[in-house]
């Protein structure tokens, strides 16, 4: 929209993983604008990183389209409760589960809890991610590299593996990759590398699950104004975040929700192994 915030943004930094309430301007997740039309009536979804940013926008949209949501998050309780409130105001069930998805056992517990609460599972949205900025490869510790892969890539495998037995004919997995899969930011080396792996994982898993009629796709966002930005990027990058797009600004989270809705519906019944770029005009091949 013409009146969406544009850089330069006010100077701001947060401790990781960041919170919505401390952001200036506050992100728009579609709280006042998204209108559902029953496209996901009766569906049951897991959204990792559903407390804030893209995950919150998708949770609000899915709820207004008729889905019950399990919201997985690390430890951002206030943000998670706020997302839960919006889902419940849409008349749908919202289950919160905090914990570290880098642990395989926790990933299995997430799926088990969703099946227990909802009686089954239709949609898995692998959205949670970890990132941090480093100027030199020598600045990236072994532990940081391993954490980034554990959260961004390994968890996706653990969750998909646990979910597939519960995804019946027509089930859906949607993974969040990034513009960094195609145009890696050197200061986000570990993060960008995992995003390339996620795109490859999506295409391979789509072929593996096609006979079961379980579709697997991914969304590749460009710059999106979420708590990760002031929590993980240097001040100058935060100030000018999104000014490298033809549109000239970062996306608001609400602008990412529609592709996640479309991919979860039967409207996308012939789409699997695909990447949907939402990049503000930056080319993605």
């Amino acid at each position: 929209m013409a009146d969406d915030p544009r850089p330069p943004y006010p100077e701001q930094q947060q401790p990781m993983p960041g919170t919505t309430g401390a952001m200036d301007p506050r992100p728009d997740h579609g709280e006042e604008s998204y209108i559902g039309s029953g496209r996901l009536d009766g569906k049951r979804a897991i959204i990792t990183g559903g407390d804030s940013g893209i995950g919150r926008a998708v949770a609000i949209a899915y709820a207004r389209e008729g889905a019950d949501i399990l919201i997985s998050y690390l430890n951002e309780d206030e943000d998670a409760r706020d997302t839960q409130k919006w889902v419940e105001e849409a008349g749908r069930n919202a289950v919160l589960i905090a914990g570290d998805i880098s642990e395989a056992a926790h990933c299995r517990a997430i799926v088990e809890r969703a099946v227990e609460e909802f009686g089954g599972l239709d949609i898995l949205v692998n959205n949670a991610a970890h990132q941090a900025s480093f100027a030199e490869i020598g600045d990236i510790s072994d532990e940081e590299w391993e954490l980034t892969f554990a959260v961004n890539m390994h968890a996706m495998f653990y969750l998909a593996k646990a979910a597939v037995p519960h995804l019946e004919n027509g089930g859906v997995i949607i993974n969040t990759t990034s513009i960094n899969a195609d145009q890696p930011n050197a200061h986000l080396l570990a993060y960008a590398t995992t995003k390339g792996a996620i795109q490859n994982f999506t295409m391979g898993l789509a072929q593996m699950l096609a006979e079961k009629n379980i579709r697997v796709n991914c969304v590749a966002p460009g710059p999106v104004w979420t708590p990760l930005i002031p929590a993980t990027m240097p001040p100058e990058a935060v100030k000018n975040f999104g000014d490298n797009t033809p549109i000239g600004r970062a996306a608001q989270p609400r602008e990412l929700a529609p592709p996640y809705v479309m991919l979860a519906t039967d409207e996308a019944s012939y789409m699997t192994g695909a990447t949907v770029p939402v990049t503000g005009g930056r080319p993605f091949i």
Side-chain angles (χ1 to χ4, degrees):
M1 295 174 118
D3 57 352
D4 280 317
R6 308 178 76 85
Y9 299 111
E11 185 173 327
Q12 56 196 293
Q13 294 281 273
Q14 292 192 44
M16 293 175 67
T19 61
T20 303
M23 295 183 70
D24 182 15
R26 187 179 177 90
D28 180 359
H29 308 89
E31 291 95 337
E32 306 300 334
S33 61
Y34 192 92
I35 299 173
S37 56
R39 294 158 75 192
L40 298 175
D41 268 349
K43 298 294 186 182
R44 301 152 297 185
I46 291 170
I47 303 173
T48 68
D51 57 293
S52 64
I54 295 170
R56 177 184 292 189
V58 174
I60 290 170
Y62 277 16
R64 293 181 184 175
E65 295 291 355
D68 294 323
I69 318 287
L70 183 143
I71 298 160
S72 156
Y73 66 102
L74 180 60
N75 57 17
E76 308 91 330
D77 293 319
E78 184 176 351
D79 273 353
R81 286 193 295 269
D82 200 25
T83 304
Q84 181 182 42
K85 177 198 75 171
W86 287 107
V87 171
E88 290 177 345
E89 284 186 4
R92 307 309 306 180
N93 295 319
V95 175
L96 302 184
I97 182 166
D100 187 352
I101 61 169
S102 70
E103 300 171 358
H106 181 64
C107 292
R108 289 190 284 269
I110 288 170
V111 173
E112 289 166 5
R113 178 78 181 277
V115 172
E116 177 186 332
E117 294 280 351
F118 304 145
L121 182 65
D122 303 290
I123 304 162
L124 169 63
V125 179
N126 285 311
N127 171 71
H130 170 82
Q131 73 174 33
S133 300
F134 298 95
E136 302 288 343
I137 190 170
D139 297 334
I140 306 172
S141 69
D142 296 349
E143 293 77 14
E144 173 65 27
W145 183 266
E146 290 165 3
L147 174 64
T148 307
F149 270 82
V151 173
N152 296 5
M153 188 67 254
H154 299 171
M156 203 165 282
F157 165 73
Y158 300 145
L159 284 156
K161 183 179 178 183
V164 163
H166 302 284
L167 293 173
E168 298 177 356
N169 184 25
V172 173
I173 298 173
I174 305 171
N175 302 321
T176 301
T177 181
S178 168
I179 185 74
N180 279 277
D182 186 62
Q183 300 176 34
N185 180 331
H187 288 185
L188 296 173
L189 180 63
Y191 172 86
T193 304
T194 64
K195 291 301 179 175
I198 288 167
Q199 191 180 21
N200 191 287
F201 174 74
T202 298
M203 291 185 287
L205 186 61
Q207 295 173 71
M208 183 178 283
L209 298 180
E211 287 188 358
K212 299 178 185 294
N213 195 30
I214 297 172
R215 296 183 294 104
V216 188
N217 294 291
C218 59
V219 177
V224 186
W225 186 237
T226 74
L228 269 184
I229 305 313
T232 65
M233 301 187 78
E236 192 64 20
V238 176
K239 177 182 176 182
N240 297 308
F241 188 65
D243 69 353
N244 62 344
T245 65
I247 285 181
R249 61 171 177 84
Q252 290 297 310
R254 63 168 168 75
E255 295 176 290
L256 273 294
Y260 287 85
V261 172
M262 182 271 293
L263 290 172
T265 69
D266 290 340
E267 298 160 25
S269 59
Y270 202 62
M271 289 183 69
T272 194
T275 301
V276 179
V278 189
T279 63
R282 287 178 61 185
F284 189 103
I285 298 174

